[in-house]
């Protein structure tokens, strides 16, 4: 019989993982077509930082080489951006006119970096940090220029800053918040992080409001000016102040969008059950995830339904973070800031540069923030996801799974 | 720093043995001390306390613990403010003058000390009884020796121990009653050990409710029930009479009143005595036999007899035995009272008690009063009886005594019934404390604090237990603005004379600007007062003391040497020349055990501490033997109540309560408890449910005193003991620079009242402080232990951490506030090792067992990492402790000794020899030898 047509828009990690999961379950159900805006096969976006840092090459981070698509009989249109979905005819069209009809459509358009709306944001040398192109731009700039400013002291910004520093640039990280990575770290851990990054040579402007990017005659950015009037020199400005889900296509197709493309527990869009969406472009139960782990969980569920098993449900993810800066171990998960009705256990070993904070509520671990020693991160993350009571080993909790076992043996 | 050491001969300021010391000084600093080989009391030996004297006089200790300038407290409990000496003395004179004017001289109370020198005493005695005209002058000898005084006077007619230490070598039976000589008079005990070694035939009987180290040397131990001594002695006499072991000839020739005594002892049958005393009739009989039939019997006794509501009767009943058997006036035969303090004897010689006058004269005797008035150039001295220690503080608490002048003693630690004593100190209008140390419990109550000189600075004379007068010499000038006690008295007297007898010649013509001349002038005046008295020393002079060394009294003009032994002629200083038997019937303790207060609490001394520890308490190493306060109970009592070692209990008497850890000990009997008398509120405190600070062990003791001697019963109280439910516990300890540690302890002391239970003590390195350890004196440890119903506010713990240097950024921390868990560990690199140098455990303190060892023994800790913060008694990495210090001098621990003894073969004597040959323990001062012997006995060699 004639195969169903599955079209995927977006050739990124979440989407391709969905296809992989699907092929595992049922390799023969679909005739698959993939559109990808970037002129590359699917690569590991989160490994761009090691590439920038010169620790890995682009080849190293390719997840699915062209052969993979070919071997699985997948039609890949790379470097082609889809600009229209015709839900009546069930056809998608790329900007070059390429069309593909679908029975089922998978939207994995990902997200775009948010650019601060400040004067000079369009100057030459002002970029975001998102893909191989940005990464190459940074590598090239680092070879020619001296001063770099990274706006945004989050995960991505710090990785970019670290990479640029390792490529020989003098890097200043500008962050509007009082401490770095406020979404992943509490202030104590953040200061430890900042301290060790400063020791490596990074400079920081915390609580700094960027007012404008100052350009030179050559039309290239030459400095960043702050609200307090001060400036720091910059031949390169990298904006890493967050991302926006790519939803133009979905909106124009009349799908319900609320920050991201709204999907249900089967990852089908609430507007059109023929259309699935996973990844950074999707909003599930009000959350659009930006980290890879949840997206893979989504992929599994989406694939399950595309394969017409119809049993899996996606209930949302707990997220945990690791910073990919060699020599810096940090881990955080859940509600590590604590607050009303929560209890904290804190351990610090300044000499060893270690800080650990566990947040507990109703005898359950609800958050963890580890710096310097993240060995037990996975154990805490497990306890956190399983929501099991830690009451009977609370006093050992901080000392890791091993001490719990040893104390259990003693008992 | 000059390399040429100066040497000064003086005496030890601790117990009444009165050992001679040679103080080594370099460039105005005391750098060493050793026993004076020529001093007849110790012939060069010193005990753990004496041999560490120089450490208590170091610049660091002086700076941190001494009172160095006059201070005035503008409001009670407030911080005292410095003022000039002249202002201080004027203030004192104004206040005393005013009170005398408004209320009469008996509104004043002078409370002095057996640690003052004879010259100090003489001046204050003359000041109170001569110049001011009140007999309200008493001393802490009242808590110590007054029963011995009363006992001697009631029987032999004079306050004079008739024997010498040399008699140890002539005795065939040593009868030690109510004295833990091994710990309280160590050098005397060394001489007893020598005597026993030289003549193994010497029989030693020890009478003590507790199995003390002294018992280790005993052939017979009578573990009598507390306070039943009189019954025992009467029972022994009963048997002696029955067996015909008495000496009728001696009784007939030299005594009176035997018939009355016979009537009293008649119904003290062996059966009844055995029952009352809790011993077997056989032991009773054996004790009587040894005492009566040995060729020469010497009895030694101390606080066990004295600190009792029937102290006089106990002393007299024992002396009865000597008289009835003629065991007196011969070599090795005498009742020998061991004096507690270094100069209680000298104090009494100048009449330093409320009922005495100079040279063993009696205030009650008009003839004596006239003699003293003449000697002082006064018309009269007052005849109204003065108030004894307990009465004085009760009178102050009742508002009769308006001013208290306290010198060189610490009543807020040492007096019984602390509640009353502290009420007295609060109610009195004017409290003056003349002290060498700044932070005794009493100092908190003083309106005026006058800095006095102390050991190493003082000069004058002292008299020890064997009536031997020694020169005390200054090795250093006074510290800070400190002045000699006698000089303070003289300068106060001059001001008072200006107010009370203006225009007349001074009664105190002693040059304070020339101390040597001053003390000699005072002493010569005292000497003159002894002419013709039992203690006549008119043949003695400072020059002779310098030339021929210490001398025993009497030494009348013309005599070449003093008298080693009294009453050899059988003539006693009584009207008829006969000794008098004392026919006092047995009285039980003031408070008998009952169902509400089922335990007999006795108090004891520690081997390495002395009195209130204002001096010994400055040395961490002296806490190695007994590190912290505890109440000892018999293991069976512990089991019955299901208490475990270290658990906190509340010990309550009718007067108050304290909280401290319980400790199993087979040294005491069932239904008995024992707490060392040293643990005052400076080291052991806490807060009652009603919010008052707990005042240490003497809170519990009764002020009930002996009618004859007015000495309170500090040795026994009926108490109840219950578990203190204080689930939240804290232990914080750290090594600190020696020049800060004691200051930190002072700053921690005010925090003690913030917990239901608290103790704060210094500590030293346990075991030999090897190269890894700090050089002696370089660092001192401070430990703070506490417990409470619930976790205190974190600020308080932060404060404690700050004081102990645990707030530095390198400390490891674990905090689980909701569970009241807080652990902080300070680590420092030492060489290639990481060592724990400070810690605080709040909540779950079980980890103390291994963490404390890591800290105190400088064990490498790099293997632990963050596990230093892990909870529980089980060390994450095995810790090998060196154990508890047994030999303080050479830092040998019990574990080292046990290990060695396991391989020492042969009879016990040889094994002890092998042990000492290998580890050198007990080869310096020997204070731990009795304990070593006990260990030799208990730890058998591993055979095969």
């Amino acid at each position: 019989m004639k195969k169903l047509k599955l079209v995927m828009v977006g050739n990124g990690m979440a989407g391709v993982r969905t296809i992989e999961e699907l092929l595992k379950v049922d390799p023969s159900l679909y005739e698959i077509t993939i559109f990808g805006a970037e002129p590359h096969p699917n690569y590991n976006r989160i490994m761009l930082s090691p590439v920038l840092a010169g620790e890995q090459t682009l080849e190293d981070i390719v997840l699915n080489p062209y052969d993979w698509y070919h071997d699985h009989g997948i039609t890949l249109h790379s470097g082609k951006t889809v600009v229209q979905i015709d839900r009546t005819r069930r056809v998608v069209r790329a900007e070059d006119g390429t069309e593909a009809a679908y029975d089922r459509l998978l939207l994995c358009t990902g997200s775009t970096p948010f650019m601060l709306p400040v004067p000079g944001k369009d100057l030459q040398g002002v970029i975001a940090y998102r893909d191989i192109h940005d990464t190459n731009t940074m590598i090239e700039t680092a070879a020619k220029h001296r001063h770099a400013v990274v706006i945004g002291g989050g995960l991505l910004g710090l990785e970019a800053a670290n990479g640029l520093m390792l490529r020989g640039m003098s890097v200043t990280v500008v962050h509007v918040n009082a401490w770095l990575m406020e979404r992943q770290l509490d202030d104590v851990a953040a200061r430890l992080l900042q301290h060790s990054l400063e020791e490596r040579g990074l400079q920081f402007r915390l609580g700094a409001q960027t007012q404008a990017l100052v350009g030179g005659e050559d039309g290239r950015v030459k400095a960043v000016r702050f609200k307090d009037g001060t400036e720091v020199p910059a031949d390169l400005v990298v904006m890493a102040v967050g991302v926006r889900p790519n939803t133009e296509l979905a909106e124009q197709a009349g799908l319900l969008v609320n920050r991201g493309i709204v999907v249900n527990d089967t990852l089908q869009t609430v507007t059109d059950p023929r259309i699935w969406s996973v990844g950074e472009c999707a909003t599930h139960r009000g959350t659009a995830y930006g980290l890879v782990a949840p997206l893979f969980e989504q992929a599994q569920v989406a694939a399950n339904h595309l394969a017409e098993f119809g049993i899996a449900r996606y209930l949302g993810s707990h997220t945990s973070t690791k910073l990919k800066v060699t020599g810096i171990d940090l881990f955080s998960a859940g509600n590590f800031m604590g607050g009303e009705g929560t209890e904290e256990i804190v351990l610090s070993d300044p000499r060893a540069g270690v800080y650990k904070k566990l947040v507990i509520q109703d005898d359950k671990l609800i958050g963890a923030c580890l710096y310097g020693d993240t060995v037990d991160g996975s154990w805490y993350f497990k306890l956190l996801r399983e929501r099991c009571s830690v009451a009977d080993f609370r006093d050992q909790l901080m000392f890791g799974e091993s001490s719990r076992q040893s104390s259990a043996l003693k008992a | 720093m000059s390399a040429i050491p100066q040497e000064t001969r003086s005496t030890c300021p601790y117990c009444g043995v009165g050992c001679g010391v040679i103080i080594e000084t370099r460039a105005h600093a005391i750098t060493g001390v050793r026993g004076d080989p020529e001093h007849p009391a110790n012939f060069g030996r010193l005990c753990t306390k004496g041999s560490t004297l120089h450490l208590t006089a170091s610049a660091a200790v002086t700076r941190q613990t001494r009172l160095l300038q006059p201070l005035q407290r503008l409001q009670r409990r407030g911080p005292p403010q410095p003022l000039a000496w002249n202002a201080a003395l004027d203030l004192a004179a104004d206040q005393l003058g005013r009170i005398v004017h408004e209320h009469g001289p008996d509104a004043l109370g002078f409370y002095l000390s057996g640690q003052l020198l004879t010259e100090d005493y003489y001046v204050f005695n003359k000041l109170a009884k001569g110049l001011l005209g009140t007999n309200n002058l008493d001393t802490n000898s009242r808590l110590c020796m007054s029963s011995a005084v009363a006992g001697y006077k009631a029987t032999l007619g004079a306050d004079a121990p008739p024997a010498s230490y040399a008699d140890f070598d002539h005795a065939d039976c040593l009868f030690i009653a109510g004295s833990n000589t091994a710990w309280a008079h160590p050098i005397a005990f060394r001489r007893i050990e020598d005597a026993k070694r030289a003549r193994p035939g010497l029989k030693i009987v020890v009478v003590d409710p507790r199995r003390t180290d002294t018992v280790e040397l005993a052939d017979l131990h009578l573990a009598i029930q507390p306070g039943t001594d009189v019954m025992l002695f009467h029972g022994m006499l009963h048997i002696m009479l029955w067996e015909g072991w008495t000496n009728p000839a001696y009784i007939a020739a030299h005594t009176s009143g035997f018939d009355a005594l016979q009537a009293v002892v008649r119904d003290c049958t062996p059966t009844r005595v055995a029952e009352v005393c809790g011993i077997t009739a056989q032991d009773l009989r054996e004790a009587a036999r040894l005492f009566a039939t040995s060729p020469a019997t010497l009895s030694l006794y101390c606080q066990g007899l004295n600190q009792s509501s029937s102290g006089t009767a106990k002393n007299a009943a024992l002396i009865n035995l000597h008289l009835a058997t003629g065991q007196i006036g011969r070599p090795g035969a005498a009742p020998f009272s061991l004096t507690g303090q270094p100069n209680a004897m000298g104090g009494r010689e100048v009449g330093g008690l409320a009922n005495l006058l100079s040279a063993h004269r009696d205030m009650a005797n008009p003839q004596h009063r006239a003699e003293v008035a003449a000697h002082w150039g006064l018309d009269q001295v007052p005849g109204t009886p003065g108030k004894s220690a307990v009465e004085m503080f009760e009178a102050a608490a009742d508002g009769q005594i308006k001013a208290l002048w306290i010198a060189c003693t610490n009543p807020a630690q040492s007096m019984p019934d602390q509640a009353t004593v502290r009420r007295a100190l609060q109610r009195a209008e004017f409290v003056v404390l003349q002290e060498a140390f700044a932070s005794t419990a009493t100092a908190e109550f003083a309106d005026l604090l006058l800095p006095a000189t102390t050991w190493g600075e003082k000069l004058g004379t002292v008299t020890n237990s064997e009536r031997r007068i020694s020169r005390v010499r200054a090795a250093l000038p006074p510290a800070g603005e400190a002045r000699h006690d006698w000089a303070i008295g003289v300068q106060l007297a001059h001001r008072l004379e200006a107010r009370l007898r203006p225009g007349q010649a001074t009664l105190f013509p002693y040059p304070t600007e020339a101390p040597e001349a001053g003390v000699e002038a005072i002493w010569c005046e005292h000497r003159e007062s002894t002419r013709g008295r039992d203690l006549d020393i008119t043949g003695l002079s400072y020059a002779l003391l310098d030339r021929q060394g210490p001398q025993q009294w009497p030494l009348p003009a013309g005599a070449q040497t003093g008298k080693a032994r009294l009453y050899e002629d059988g003539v006693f200083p009584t009207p008829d020349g006969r000794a008098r038997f004392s026919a006092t019937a047995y009285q039980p303790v003031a408070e008998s055990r009952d169902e509400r207060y089922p335990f007999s609490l006795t108090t004891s001394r520690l081997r390495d501490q002395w009195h209130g520890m204002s001096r010994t308490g400055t040395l961490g190493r002296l806490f190695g033997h007994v590190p912290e306060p505890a109440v000892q109970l018999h293991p069976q009592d512990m089991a019955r109540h299901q208490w475990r070692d270290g658990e906190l209990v509340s010990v309550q008497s009718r007067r108050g309560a304290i909280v401290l850890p319980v400790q199993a000990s087979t040294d005491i009997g069932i239904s008995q408890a024992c707490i060392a008398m040293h643990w005052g509120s400076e080291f052991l405190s806490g807060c009652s449910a009603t919010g008052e600070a707990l005042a240490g062990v003497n809170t519990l003791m009764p002020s009930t005193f002996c009618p004859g001697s007015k000495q309170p019963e500090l040795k026994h109280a009926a108490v109840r003991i219950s578990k203190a439910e204080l689930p939240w516990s804290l232990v914080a300890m750290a090594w600190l620079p020696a020049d800060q540690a004691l200051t930190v302890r002072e700053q921690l002391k005010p925090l003690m009242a913030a917990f239901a239970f608290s103790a704060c003590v210094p500590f030293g390195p346990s075991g030999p402080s090897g190269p890894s350890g700090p050089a002696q004196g370089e660092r001192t440890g401070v430990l703070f232990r506490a417990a409470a119903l619930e976790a205190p506010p974190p600020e308080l713990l932060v404060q404690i951490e700050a004081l102990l240097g645990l707030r530095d950024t390198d400390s490891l921390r674990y905090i689980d506030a909701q569970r009241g868990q807080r652990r902080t560990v300070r680590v420092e690199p030492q060489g290639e090792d990481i060592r724990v140098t400070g810690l605080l455990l709040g909540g779950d303190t079980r980890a103390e067992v291994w963490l404390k060892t890591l800290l105190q023994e400088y064990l490498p800790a790099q293997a632990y990492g963050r596990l230093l913060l892990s909870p529980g008694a089980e060390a994450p990495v095995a810790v090998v402790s060196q154990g508890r210090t047994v030999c303080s001098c050479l830092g040998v621990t019990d574990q080292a000794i046990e290990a060695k003894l396991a391989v020492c073969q042969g009879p016990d004597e040889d094994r002890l020899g092998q042990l000492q040959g290998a580890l050198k323990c007990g080869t310096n001062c020997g204070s731990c030898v009795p304990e070593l012997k006990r260990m030799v006995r208990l730890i058998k060699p591993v055979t095969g």
Side-chain angles (χ1 to χ4, degrees), chain B residues 388-468:
Chain B
S388 71
V390 169
E391 298 166 312
M392 187 183 293
F393 282 88
E394 283 173 350
D398 296 347
Q400 297 171 37
I401 285 185
K402 310 287 183 189
L404 284 168
W405 189 289
I406 301 161
C408 194
T409 185
N410 187 11
Q413 193 278 342
S414 54
M415 290 279 291
D417 187 9
Q418 278 296 312
T420 303
V421 169
R422 289 167 181 238
R423 202 164 63 247
L425 289 165
Q426 281 157 355
R427 176 144 187 205
E429 292 174 17
F430 188 54
V431 176
V432 181
L433 179 64
Q434 181 175 324
E435 245 295 353
F437 291 91
S439 59
T440 64
T442 308
E444 296 165 26
F445 298 89
D447 300 298
L448 184 62
L449 291 137
L450 302 177
T453 52
T454 184
W455 179 85
E457 301 162 7
K458 287 177 79 72
L459 66 170
T461 56
V462 292
T463 311
N464 71 2
S465 287
E466 59 170 2
R467 292 172 283 110
R468 190 177 299 278

Side-chain angles (χ1 to χ4, degrees), chain A residues 15-38:
Chain A
V16 176
R17 172 61 71 96
T18 312
I19 301 299
E20 286 177 332
E21 296 283 349
L22 171 61
L23 293 174
K24 271 195 232 150
V25 191
D26 188 337
S28 57
L29 185 58
Y30 292 103
E31 181 187 318
I32 303 172
T33 307
I34 300 178
F35 289 82
E38 285 188 72

Side-chain angles (χ1 to χ4, degrees), chain B residues 668-911:
Chain B
I668 61 173
I670 307 278
S671 300
Q672 292 180 30
C674 183
I675 303 175
M677 53 88 77
H678 311 288
W679 301 119
S681 54
E682 298 93 334
F683 295 88
L684 168 66
S685 186
C687 184
S688 73
T690 55
E692 299 111 25
L694 304 183
V697 59
N698 286 323
T699 302
L700 303 170
M701 307 319 284
S703 55
T704 318
F705 54 70
C706 167
S709 67
K710 309 222 169 157
Q711 178 159 359
E713 185 149 282
L714 278 163
K715 269 277 180 188
H716 184 271
V719 297
R720 63 164 163 256
I721 302 177
S722 54
K723 190 165 189 299
E725 294 295 349
L726 300 171
W728 189 88
S729 56
L730 168 78
V731 59
M733 61 194 297
W735 290 115
L736 297 164
D739 60 359
Q740 294 170 24
L742 298 169
T743 309
V744 167
R745 203 186 80 80
E746 291 308 324
Q747 292 164 327
L748 284 167
K749 268 159 66 175
L751 306 182
M752 292 174 80
F755 301 89
F757 154 78
S758 56
C760 186
V761 292
F763 64 86
S766 74
S769 54
S772 61
Q776 184 54 254
E778 183 188 306
R779 277 182 162 190
T780 304
V782 176
L783 178 145
F784 188 94
R785 186 183 300 282
L789 263 176
E790 56 196 11
E795 305 73 47
L796 182 56
L797 299 179
V798 168
Q799 199 181 350
I800 293 171
E801 286 185 347
L803 287 169
L804 289 173
L806 300 175
R807 298 301 299 169
D808 68 330
T809 48
D810 271 2
S811 295
L812 288 82
R813 302 184 183 287
Y814 174 90
I815 299 172
D816 182 348
Q818 284 72 12
R819 302 250 296 131
Q821 301 294 324
R822 183 189 188 92
R823 294 193 282 282
T824 306
V825 178
R826 184 181 75 201
V827 292
E828 291 175 32
Q830 282 184 11
E832 54 275 17
D833 291 333
I834 294 285
R835 296 183 196 279
V836 175
T837 59
L839 61 89
L840 177 144
L841 302 177
D844 178 353
T845 56
R846 291 171 301 156
E848 175 189 350
V849 293
W850 52 275
L851 267 174
K852 187 179 180 186
T853 306
L854 284 180
L855 181 145
Q856 206 167 353
E857 300 182 16
Y858 303 101
L859 302 178
Q862 50 268 47
Y864 294 80
R866 273 174 300 292
L867 291 177
L868 285 171
L869 294 170
S870 57
E874 190 122 355
V877 182
V879 176
V880 185
S881 166
Q882 306 177 41
R884 178 184 63 92
T885 308
V886 173
C887 174
S888 306
C889 300
L890 297 141
V892 185
T893 64
D894 54 356
Q895 295 195 6
I897 293 166
E898 283 162 23
K900 180 62 190 171
L901 281 177
V903 298
C904 292
Q905 307 290 341
D908 287 356
E909 278 304 308
D910 303 3
R911 297 179 67 221

Side-chain angles (χ1 to χ4, degrees), chain A residues 373-392:
Chain A
D373 170 9
T374 53
V375 176
D376 294 307
S378 49
W379 183 50
Y380 295 138
F381 195 49
K382 180 161 152 288
L383 293 172
L384 198 135
R385 286 200 314 263
E386 292 169 357
R387 315 200 102 269
C388 60
S389 166
V390 298
D392 51 357

